[in-house]
Amino acid sequence: MNVPFLSLKDITAKYADEIHEAALRVIDSGWYLQGEENESFEQHYADYIGTKYCIGCANGLDALIWIYRAYIELGVMQSGDEVIVPANTYIASILAITENGLKPVLVEPNPDTLEIDDTKIEAAVTSRTKSILIVHLYGRCAMTEKIAELCEKYNLRLIEDNAQAHGCIWDGKRTGSIGDAAGHSFYPGKNLGALGDAGTVTTNNKELADAIHALANYGSQRKYVFKYTGRNSRLDEIQAAILDVKLRHLDEDIALRQQAADYYYNHISNPLITLPKLLPHEQNVYHLFPILVTDGKRDALHDYLEQNGIGTVIHYPIAPHKQECYASESWNIPQLSLPVTERLADEELSIPMSPCLKHEQLEYVVQIINQFK
């Protein structure tokens, strides 16, 4: 049996008629940027997330970059200020900080939840700390009451990297509406994925929203008038139209992912494998299903599953602080020692997760995993 890690073709096929209609509607309209499709999706996504404003941009990394750039332009932050960020994350979270001349302060994760360890954050706060960037990694909610308390205590801007957690809920709010602003990615493999790169920022702060909208449009707030030195980072009409279609089906797709995850949690049983702490369903939309493989056997399990027709991906084999691009940064000299993050990089393996997985495929994945020695 073949079980792909994620079949984008199958996901797209679920809503093919609606997607084709949306794309053709844009093609036939003759209007391809900053038109009605953008306005429609931005409004619908803001309503879904629960914020007043949603600003489309080119991708998820840009979304995070524009948030911090806007805070700098508004005088809230300045070069050299510090942003606390989880040490185990995709590098985009940290790139958005360094791109703006800010200093990332890496904090270890909780090995049970795989999210930033809120008991270690306060020790990282200094007089230069201006923000905490939480990352809802793997689709798991990273927010806690302790983080909210620290933001209040130290007057820190709470920014969410919501690239992997569209639809996740914490304390009655969707992730992306919990903090001061959030960056969202619609890379094709996400739970809400475009057919190319796309992203948005969500916020309730009008001044911030206006600055981000201008920065992503060359720095222009009105035609040929440039307040900022911005860049071209816009969401195109076809992607907006397609995302609007898929947004209508997001919750039903999340429910299917949660059903698949339930099967994994109830049936995976191998002494070499540890599953992350089970969260309430509303706090995990299962963008990915990570497992931890002990005894140095992660790569062997990866190969074993591939040989048996099961697709897997390692997220992420080299921690950000060990990447060459950050080797000579002052905040990483001498190179940081982050043993929990480094262990997760050595042990993590993501197994198939999709709203298109069939029950017999789930049974097969579990059978092969449980047989591994």
Side-chain angles (χ1 to χ4, degrees), residues 29-66:
S29 76
W31 194 286
Y32 308 124
L33 279 172
Q34 296 183 304
E36 292 180 359
E37 301 293 347
N38 262 257
E39 291 179 7
S40 174
F41 174 67
E42 287 173 346
Q43 184 61 61
H44 292 157
Y45 194 62
D47 291 345
Y48 178 82
I49 294 296
T51 57
K52 293 179 182 177
Y53 308 104
C54 173
I55 308 98
C57 59
N59 53 69
L61 172 57
D62 277 6
L64 292 174
I65 288 173
W66 299 136

Side-chain angles (χ1 to χ4, degrees), residues 139-143 168-171 258 279-286:
R140 302 170 60 86
C141 181
M143 186 58 180
C168 204
I169 297 173
W170 180 79
D171 195 27
Q258 290 168 337
L279 297 177
H281 263 179
E282 66 177 12
Q283 294 182 25
N284 196 344
V285 296
Y286 295 100

Side-chain angles (χ1 to χ4, degrees), residues 188-203:
K190 306 298 187 186
N191 288 23
L192 179 59
L195 300 189
D197 277 319
T200 61
V201 174
T202 53
T203 184

Side-chain angles (χ1 to χ4, degrees), residues 12 54 58 116 261 323 366:
T12 303
C54 173
I116 193 168
Q323 296 287 353
V366 168

Side-chain angles (χ1 to χ4, degrees), residues 77-338:
M77 299 179 194
Q78 61 183 346
S79 180
D81 284 343
E82 297 173 356
V83 178
I84 291 172
V85 62
N88 67 314
T89 182
Y90 185 56
I91 200 169
S93 310
I94 299 171
L95 287 172
I97 298 168
T98 58
E99 172 80 8
N100 282 294
L102 302 170
K103 177 184 176 182
V105 178
L106 278 58
V107 171
E108 289 265 57
N110 180 322
D112 295 326
T113 66
L114 309 182
E115 307 300 320
I116 193 168
D117 189 337
D118 63 5
T119 68
K120 296 181 178 179
I121 292 175
E122 190 162 20
V125 176
T126 74
S127 61
R128 294 301 302 270
T129 307
K130 293 295 189 294
S131 171
I132 299 175
L133 173 59
I134 58 172
V135 182
H136 304 296
L137 202 62
Y138 309 116
R140 302 170 60 86
C141 181
M143 186 58 180
T144 68
E145 290 288 351
K146 179 68 173 177
I147 292 172
E149 291 168 5
L150 291 171
C151 289
E152 179 75 20
K153 180 177 180 179
Y154 294 103
N155 190 30
L156 305 177
R157 297 299 193 277
L158 178 62
I159 309 305
E160 300 173 75
D161 182 337
N162 201 47
Q164 300 185 2
H166 322 114
C168 204
I169 297 173
W170 180 79
D171 195 27
K173 294 182 177 181
R174 291 199 190 274
T175 55
S177 70
I178 297 168
D180 294 282
H184 308 254
S185 168
F186 306 120
Y187 180 79
K190 306 298 187 186
N191 288 23
L192 179 59
L195 300 189
D197 277 319
T200 61
V201 174
T202 53
T203 184
N204 287 315
N205 184 324
K206 185 179 188 304
E207 186 180 29
L208 187 71
D210 288 345
I212 289 168
H213 189 273
L215 285 165
N217 186 35
Y218 297 96
S220 174
Q221 289 185 311
R222 58 191 177 91
K223 195 168 185 178
Y224 299 132
V225 178
F226 301 90
K227 184 172 182 177
Y228 310 110
T229 54
R231 287 200 314 213
N232 177 10
S233 175
R234 298 180 297 208
L235 176 62
D236 73 65
E237 288 283 280
I238 285 182
Q239 299 303 343
I242 290 168
L243 287 167
D244 223 9
V245 168
K246 297 180 80 173
L247 179 60
R248 296 197 291 267
H249 301 285
L250 179 58
D251 286 344
E252 63 190 84
D253 281 350
I254 289 171
L256 292 170
R257 288 173 177 270
Q258 290 168 337
Q259 289 175 23
D262 283 342
Y263 189 85
Y264 283 152
Y265 269 104
N266 290 328
H267 294 89
I268 291 176
S269 179
N270 186 315
L272 293 170
I273 293 170
T274 301
L275 303 185
K277 178 183 177 181
L278 181 63
L279 297 177
H281 263 179
E282 66 177 12
Q283 294 182 25
N284 196 344
V285 296
Y286 295 100
H287 168 56
L288 300 170
F289 195 95
I291 63 175
L292 301 179
V293 188
T294 59
D295 289 0
K297 292 192 173 182
R298 188 268 310 277
D299 292 349
L301 177 58
H302 169 274
D303 294 344
Y304 172 76
L305 293 174
E306 293 285 343
Q307 290 162 10
N308 282 276
I310 298 170
T312 62
V313 176
I314 297 169
H315 295 95
Y316 301 95
I318 305 173
H321 69 286
K322 293 226 171 200
Q323 296 287 353
E324 183 179 354
C325 63
Y326 287 135
S328 60
E329 296 296 315
S330 60
W331 52 266
N332 199 22
I333 297 176
Q335 187 176 81
L336 295 170
S337 175
L338 299 164

